[in-house]
Structure formats: C-alpha cells, structure tokens
Amino acid sequence: MRKVLFVIGLFIFVSFAFSAAAPFVLTGKVLDKDGNPVAFAIVKITGTKQAVTADADGVFSIKVKEGDELEIGGPGYIAVKVKVGTEKVLSIALEHSSQTLTEVVVVGAYNIKRNVRSVSGACQTISPEQLNTVRMGNVSNALAGKVAGVQVRSQSGSGYIVNNNQDTKLSNHWAGQSNYAADSSGTNREGYDLTQENDFLTVKDNALSTFSIDVDAASYSNVRRFLNSKELPPAGAVRIEEMVNYFKYEYPQPKDNEPFSVNTEISDCPWNKEHRLALIGLQGKIIPTQNLPAANLVFLIDVSGSMEDENKLPLVKSSLKLLVDQLRQQDKVALCVYAGNAGLVLPSTDGMQKQKIKDAIDALSAGGSTAGGAGINLAYKTALDNFIKDGNNRIILCTDGDFNVGVSSDAALETLIEKKRKDGVFLTVLGFGMDNYQDAKMQKLADKGNGNHAYIDQLSEAKKVLVNEFGGTLFTIAKDVKLQVEFNPFFVQGYRLIGYENRMLAKEDFKDDTKDAGEMGSGHTVTALYEIIPAGINSPFLKKIDALKYQAVGNAPAKSFNNELMTIKLRYKQPDGATSKLIVKPVTDQRESLSAASGNYRFAAAVAEFGLLLRNSRFKQSASYKNILSLARGAALQYDVEGYRKEFLDLVKTASRLAGNVVDDKEVEAENVGVR
C-alpha cells in the first residue's frame, strides 16, 4: 500500500513539475501618463533579486513566467505592481511622484566621480566595493571595474539615473536601443527593436501595400541559438520575414535579362481556413562565382574586450578564413580592426595570398573599449583607396554591435553610413555572440549601408553565409527593390502583410527613386506572405468606422478585372544605377487547396506559422506546433541538401517542449500528397 501511495505521490509531483508555467521573455515599455518614455525605469520580479533597467526609451525585457508579479518604478515616479499573464508585450503608465530630485556623488573605482540623481535622500558616497555589487545596466567587460554602472534604491523603491563623468569617455550604452533579452540574473543586455506587428487593413481604405524587400536571415539563426540554449526567444528577436527567407525555395530563374523572376501562389491559410494566404516569391539571377566582378573587400573586425568569448572573435577568425578560401586572383582584401582606436592591420592584398591574409587574421586578439565609429570611417577610407570600378566594393563588419566609445548611438552611426554609401561601397554586417548582442543596431547599420545582415551562431552558419551563398552575400544584382501590391476589392475585403514591419514604405515612396530600399544578391530568393480576408467574410480583425461625409459611397469596381485578385508592381535599380525600372504582374486566385499547394508554399507557410507562435502573435488564431510539423514534413526534405529544413523540424519540437505544448511524433501525420 505504501508503495502504491508513493508511486501516486511521485506521479502527482512529476505532473505538477511538468505542468509548471514555462519561462519566457517579456518585453515592454514604461511611459508616463502623457505617453512620454520613462528612461531607465527599474523592473523587478517581486520576491526575487531579478531586476532589469529599461533603456533611454523606457523599453525593457525580462525573463518571467505566468503568475509572476512585476514591480515597476522610475526616478520621480510612483511604482506599480503588475501580474504577469500570457502576453509577451506589456505597456505600463506611471504617475509622477511629488518627491524632489537631489544629487548624489558616486566615487567609483579609480576615484572616478559620477553624479546620480536620486528620488530622495541626502548626498552620499558609495565605495568601489558597493559600486561593483549594485549595478544599473552592464558596462562592457573591458571597462568593468573602471566605470561600472550603479543601481541605488531609495526607501520608496524607485531607481536612479547614472550620469557618467566625461573623463570616463563612456558613451551611453543604452542610446538608441529598444528591447533587451534578459537572462535569469537580469544582466543580459541584448538589444532588439520592439516592433508592432502589421495589422489587418481594409482594401476600401488601403488598396495599396508598399514595402522594401529584405534578404536578411539573421533572425532565424539567432532564434535557433535561443532554442538550442533551451530558451524561448524574446518577441523582438523574431522577424518572421527573415525566418522565412533563411531558406531557399525552388523558384524559376529570370528571363529576358531581368535580375529576378516574380512568382506567386495562393491557397488556404493554414491557421484560418476562412482566409487565403498569398505567396510572392522573387528569385535572383544566379551568376557563377567565376563570372562575378572583381571584389575589393575590407574586413572590419571588432577586437574590443567584449569580443573575447569563444563564440565571438575566435568564431570570427574561423569564419573569415572560410571566406578567404573562396577568393580569386582578381579579388583583394584589406583588414581593419577597432577597439579603443582603429587601425589598418593588413593593406589591400590580392586574393591568392591566402596564407598571408589568414596569418593576419590569426594574429588578432581582443581587448579594450569599442570605437565602432572610428573603425567604420577607416574601413570606408580603405575601400575607397582601393576602389574597383564596376567591381564589388564591400565592407564586411564583424562585431557584437556593442559600441561604446566615440560615435556609438544608432542615429549617429546611421548618419555616418548613409553618407559613405553614396560612394558605391556596400556593407555586410555579421553579428556574433550573446548576452550583449545588439541586434537592433546591426539591422540599422546594414539597412543604411546598402547591405545585408547575418547572425553567425556557429561555424556551419558561417559556411552557409560566406561559402554556400558567397555570391548572394557579397554581390548585389539589384538595389532599392520595392514592391507595391494593389488589391481588388471585388475579391479582397482585407489583408495583412506578415512581417516586414521595419521595411514598410509610404505608397508615395514607390515611385520616388530617392527613397532607399533593400538589395538583392546573386541567387537570393525573397518570399513575402499576405494573409487575405476574402470579400463577404465577417471578420473581427476588420474594424468599422463611421461613414465619411464628403467621400463617395463605396468603391467596389463594376467588374472583376478578369478575376484578378491583385496586381504586383516592382521597382529596382541596377547596382550602379540611379533610375528605377518597373515590373508589373497581375495575379488571379486559382482556388488551389492547401493539400495541392507546392512544397515552396507549404514550407514557407509552416515557417511563418512558427514565427507567429514564437512571437505569441495576436494573429496566430488556430496556429499550433502540431500543425506546423504536419504542414512542413511533406515539403521539408524536398530541397534540403544542407539539412536546414530537417533542423527546422527539430527546432519546432524544441520550442513546443519549452512552451509546454509537447507534440508526439505519432500524433503528427505527414501530408501524403504529391508536392510540385
């Protein structure tokens, strides 16, 4: 009897343990009652030592689980407590406190003085020991001990703002960053943009959808890193378009000397059977490596103290040596580095001197602060000094993005790069590392530099980006590529572009050749998905407004325009061109069922559905891990020479376990249908 009771008790205990809420990363923004951000607000889990500091825009990220209680306060504000539910995005409004601000002088290690504004209390001095044990934010490893941050708490529990003395030469680590991933200790400072998902729009009021293409795939490899570390990624790290575009799709090669082909397919939406899902796929022209123009490359490598980890500078070295092996006689490479200052390690060297280039790479070591702006200036100067007319002139920046000396804010770096790109030098940004990885900054640098962004989490990813996709990563076949889709209200009531939130353009930007847009490389594929609400469907996603007084009533066309569901327009420029060219493609809906859809379509839809779940999207509807696996399996292995799609299936299973929705393989029936 005792054995039976013991077994029952053990079963209950194990069941309870496995049913406990899974931890996830909550992102949010702290505002005042007027909607202004509360800079450096303190967010703490009640009853624990876990706390994080919001950035200058009031944005924070913290690892929590359902049922936790958050205490949120800021300098000069009344703290509030919030119960954590299932939502991954939170917005908090604080009321101003009547307390006045006074100054506190902080004397840190090496007698560096800094001013701290406190909510209450008299001036006080904090010892170096205290300075290193209570911290607000995280200063890079290279500066730890010299200028550590500090977090002090008044009796009311509110936080403090630290103003570093100019003598420390430490610029604001939080400038321009919008979202952080936090580990269990609260010390993780990874920076992500807190993007709001595209909403459903009515065709009646928004017939045109305009956006820039995005060939980046950094989000997927970064998400993979989180999942392989047994942690669900923060919502800001999940950019669905980059997850979809990580994979290659079998679209036909372009014809008639166009740089890319335009392909479409429409079928049932897997997570809402009343909706349709439209796929738009671009296939870049494949140019054999031997036919690519001569390359003038500048490796710009961050060798600051924050890069010393094994998955940073050591991985950078191994990655770049893979690229060196691909160089030809007509190619040349220079090597620039930056830490506290920038320097030219290797002048421009022809590609056949591979050992000389590799020796220069192997000699690099990490240490010091991070003068990213100075390094970028030097790299552009070096590229221009060795400029190849009609060649591929490109900087390859390898960094964790944690710039902290000189020009370091997002706005200043973007302005710097925007000026430099006009000289015909492109920028590829390769991100490395964790804990302080600045994803948002890397995205902006690549976008402004007419380039691309990849995250290298392991050597196999470096091989994918720098070897397998050598031409696509390093050679641009078309720049400023924009899409504009016009929907026919005869068939379409509403629509939503899935992803591309940071690539949206005004409809007027489509014909404006001065507006920057995305670049496409040799052999690249780009896929975009629209979730469509057909005409006549009663949908809660479409909000009604009062009738307008001065506008014509109704705008439905008198005819269906030959059953056209939509018309796709594309504009692009040649890599050295200033005037765009136009491609127009009308699209009809052949009413294809999901079971008859192509492998391209089914797999892209499965990846998008995975992204919806990882973001805990309010548009996920009936999405499920089981459905993703069932949808993807029939198409997963068809175009999977390198094994990336098989790995995707494994990541879906990992995420399902972390989310507490374990999928039994026996429950998932592969779709036994023919795949085109």
Side-chain angles (χ1 to χ4, degrees), residues 418-659:
E418 280 182 322
K419 291 179 181 178
K420 300 294 186 182
R421 77 178 182 207
K422 297 176 182 177
D423 295 321
V425 177
F426 292 81
L427 176 67
T428 291
V429 179
L430 303 181
F432 293 81
M434 60 179 69
D435 296 337
N436 65 334
Y437 176 62
Q438 302 306 313
D439 176 86
K441 190 186 296 288
M442 313 284 254
Q443 279 276 299
K444 293 179 176 69
L445 296 183
D447 291 349
K448 298 300 181 183
N450 277 351
N452 42 41
H453 171 213
Y455 176 75
I456 310 298
D457 60 331
Q458 54 197 19
L459 193 58
S460 61
E461 183 65 16
K463 182 175 182 293
K464 175 181 185 291
V465 173
L466 299 175
V467 179
N468 299 349
E469 300 173 5
F470 176 80
T473 300
L474 300 182
F475 181 68
T476 299
I477 60 172
K479 71 177 183 179
D480 293 338
V481 184
K482 309 171 188 175
L483 283 87
Q484 187 169 75
V485 181
E486 180 181 358
F487 292 93
N488 183 354
F490 193 89
F491 295 109
V492 181
Q493 182 182 187
Y495 65 88
R496 186 177 93 86
L497 176 61
I498 300 174
Y500 292 92
E501 283 83 3
N502 61 357
R503 299 286 183 151
M504 301 305 297
L505 299 171
K507 59 181 182 289
E508 296 82 5
D509 293 341
F510 183 68
K511 294 182 68 174
D512 186 350
D513 282 349
T514 66
K515 294 294 183 181
D516 184 52
E519 282 64 50
M520 192 160 188
S522 168
H524 266 155
T525 60
V526 175
T527 301
L529 296 166
Y530 279 96
E531 185 174 351
I532 292 173
I533 302 176
I537 297 294
N538 185 20
S539 172
F541 292 118
L542 298 179
K543 309 300 182 184
K544 296 181 179 180
I545 61 172
D546 292 337
L548 300 177
K549 181 177 180 180
Y550 302 108
Q551 306 300 316
V553 178
N555 65 345
K559 56 183 180 178
S560 67
F561 288 92
N562 298 319
N563 294 320
E564 290 177 11
L565 187 79
M566 59 188 183
T567 295
I568 302 170
K569 296 180 181 179
L570 294 100
R571 285 192 177 273
Y572 70 93
K573 300 174 189 170
Q574 296 295 336
D576 57 352
T579 304
S580 65
K581 296 182 179 181
L582 176 66
I583 298 175
V584 180
K585 182 181 178 69
V587 180
T588 58
D589 186 353
Q590 302 299 320
R591 307 306 302 175
E592 179 181 71
S593 67
L594 187 58
S595 61
S598 69
N600 284 334
Y601 183 95
R602 290 160 58 80
F603 192 79
V607 178
E609 186 171 352
F610 187 41
L612 293 175
L613 287 182
L614 290 177
R615 286 188 63 91
N616 193 24
S617 169
R618 61 191 179 97
F619 303 111
K620 64 185 179 183
Q621 301 165 77
S622 64
S624 69
Y625 291 105
K626 179 181 177 181
N627 190 49
I628 294 167
L629 291 172
S630 180
L631 183 64
R633 276 188 173 177
L637 303 181
Q638 188 177 13
Y639 314 120
D640 196 37
V641 177
E642 295 89 1
Y644 301 134
R645 294 190 174 194
K646 181 179 183 300
E647 179 189 54
F648 169 78
L649 298 178
D650 294 335
L651 292 178
V652 173
K653 295 175 187 176
T654 298
S656 72
R657 289 192 293 270
L658 293 172

Side-chain angles (χ1 to χ4, degrees), residues 220-242:
Y220 182 83
S221 52
N222 194 22
V223 164
R224 176 178 62 201
R225 186 252 301 181
F226 276 102
L227 294 176
N228 285 338
S229 299
K230 308 304 179 189
E231 183 178 355
L232 290 172
V238 182
R239 292 184 292 275
I240 295 179
E241 74 279 8
E242 293 188 20

Side-chain angles (χ1 to χ4, degrees), residues 255-565:
K255 300 176 181 178
D256 303 325
N257 293 319
E258 296 288 2
F260 46 78
S261 65
V262 183
N263 310 276
T264 60
E265 188 171 358
I266 303 170
S267 185
D268 299 325
C269 178
W271 51 89
N272 187 330
K273 299 304 181 185
E274 289 190 325
H275 293 181
R276 304 290 283 170
L277 190 68
L279 177 149
I280 302 172
L282 308 183
Q283 172 65 62
K285 183 178 181 179
I286 298 175
I287 301 176
T289 301
Q290 62 270 23
N291 296 336
L292 292 173
N296 164 35
L297 304 179
V298 178
F299 295 164
L300 175 57
I301 304 176
D302 180 352
V303 293
S304 65
S306 68
M307 290 289 290
E308 65 184 353
D309 294 341
E310 193 65 29
N311 59 4
K312 294 185 180 181
L313 185 57
L315 182 56
V316 169
K317 293 180 180 182
S318 300
S319 301
L320 291 181
K321 285 190 287 186
L322 289 177
L323 176 55
V324 171
D325 287 333
Q326 310 306 308
L327 299 177
R328 305 158 301 174
Q329 177 74 55
Q330 62 267 40
D331 302 326
K332 52 186 179 181
V333 171
L335 178 57
C336 297
V337 299
Y338 63 92
N341 295 296
L344 181 64
V345 173
L346 180 71
S348 191
T349 304
D350 79 68
M352 296 308 291
Q353 297 188 55
K354 300 186 190 309
Q355 194 56 51
K356 181 178 180 180
I357 300 170
K358 289 181 179 180
D359 288 344
I361 293 171
D362 282 333
L364 300 178
S365 60
S369 51
T370 318
I376 289 171
N377 269 316
L378 177 61
Y380 273 102
K381 180 182 183 303
T382 304
L384 290 174
D385 287 345
N386 299 280
F387 193 85
I388 300 176
K389 191 177 186 309
D390 298 325
N392 175 24
N393 299 279
R394 184 175 296 269
I395 295 168
I396 301 175
L397 170 61
C398 302
T399 179
D400 57 14
D402 198 13
F403 304 156
N404 56 38
V405 175
V407 177
S408 61
S409 73
D410 286 5
L413 287 166
E414 288 171 35
T415 301
L416 171 63
I417 288 175
E418 280 182 322
K419 291 179 181 178
K420 300 294 186 182
R421 77 178 182 207
K422 297 176 182 177
D423 295 321
V425 177
F426 292 81
L427 176 67
T428 291
V429 179
L430 303 181
F432 293 81
M434 60 179 69
D435 296 337
N436 65 334
Y437 176 62
Q438 302 306 313
D439 176 86
K441 190 186 296 288
M442 313 284 254
Q443 279 276 299
K444 293 179 176 69
L445 296 183
D447 291 349
K448 298 300 181 183
N450 277 351
N452 42 41
H453 171 213
Y455 176 75
I456 310 298
D457 60 331
Q458 54 197 19
L459 193 58
S460 61
E461 183 65 16
K463 182 175 182 293
K464 175 181 185 291
V465 173
L466 299 175
V467 179
N468 299 349
E469 300 173 5
F470 176 80
T473 300
L474 300 182
F475 181 68
T476 299
I477 60 172
K479 71 177 183 179
D480 293 338
V481 184
K482 309 171 188 175
L483 283 87
Q484 187 169 75
V485 181
E486 180 181 358
F487 292 93
N488 183 354
F490 193 89
F491 295 109
V492 181
Q493 182 182 187
Y495 65 88
R496 186 177 93 86
L497 176 61
I498 300 174
Y500 292 92
E501 283 83 3
N502 61 357
R503 299 286 183 151
M504 301 305 297
L505 299 171
K507 59 181 182 289
E508 296 82 5
D509 293 341
F510 183 68
K511 294 182 68 174
D512 186 350
D513 282 349
T514 66
K515 294 294 183 181
D516 184 52
E519 282 64 50
M520 192 160 188
S522 168
H524 266 155
T525 60
V526 175
T527 301
L529 296 166
Y530 279 96
E531 185 174 351
I532 292 173
I533 302 176
I537 297 294
N538 185 20
S539 172
F541 292 118
L542 298 179
K543 309 300 182 184
K544 296 181 179 180
I545 61 172
D546 292 337
L548 300 177
K549 181 177 180 180
Y550 302 108
Q551 306 300 316
V553 178
N555 65 345
K559 56 183 180 178
S560 67
F561 288 92
N562 298 319
N563 294 320
E564 290 177 11
L565 187 79

